[in-house]
Amino acid sequence: MDKSMEQLTFDFIDEIVPIPECSGLMAMSGYKTPKALADEMVREAKIWQKRNPGKDVMEIITPDWKEYINHKIKELC
């Protein structure tokens, strides 16, 4: 009996954008995990977008968070 193995591909890995380093922000904000802090930043960015139609939210995002927040906003739409 010939058992051939199939190679799995993980195409979804290209879709993963890591949370930027945020230990300093966590210490200042009181969030206990990077995910909790990142979720809050995305939530606030979405609120800003709703309150400022026609403006680009990326103008107010710090450079190290732009890729992550942009990816998450597009993912949630």
Side-chain angles (χ1 to χ4, degrees):
M1 186 185 302
D2 185 324
K3 293 183 181 182
S4 61
M5 296 188 67
E6 293 181 33
Q7 182 175 355
L8 297 175
T9 60
F10 296 99
D11 294 332
F12 65 90
I13 290 178
D14 289 341
E15 297 296 318
I16 296 172
V17 176
I19 296 171
E21 197 291 312
C22 57
S23 57
L25 285 173
M26 286 174 53
M28 290 187 311
S29 67
Y31 287 98
K32 303 220 185 278
T33 66
K35 173 121 173 60
L37 175 68
D39 288 346
E40 179 61 14
M41 291 185 76
V42 171
R43 186 186 75 80
E44 289 185 24
K46 291 191 66 66
I47 290 170
W48 189 92
Q49 276 184 316
K50 287 180 184 177
R51 291 182 180 164
N52 297 279
K55 293 185 179 179
D56 183 8
V57 71
M58 290 300 127
E59 291 177 9
I60 66 163
I61 305 297
T62 59
D64 51 335
W65 280 89
K66 280 187 178 191
E67 181 182 10
Y68 180 82
I69 290 177
N70 189 41
H71 174 75
K72 286 297 185 180
I73 288 174
K74 285 180 182 177
E75 183 180 278
L76 296 172
C77 292

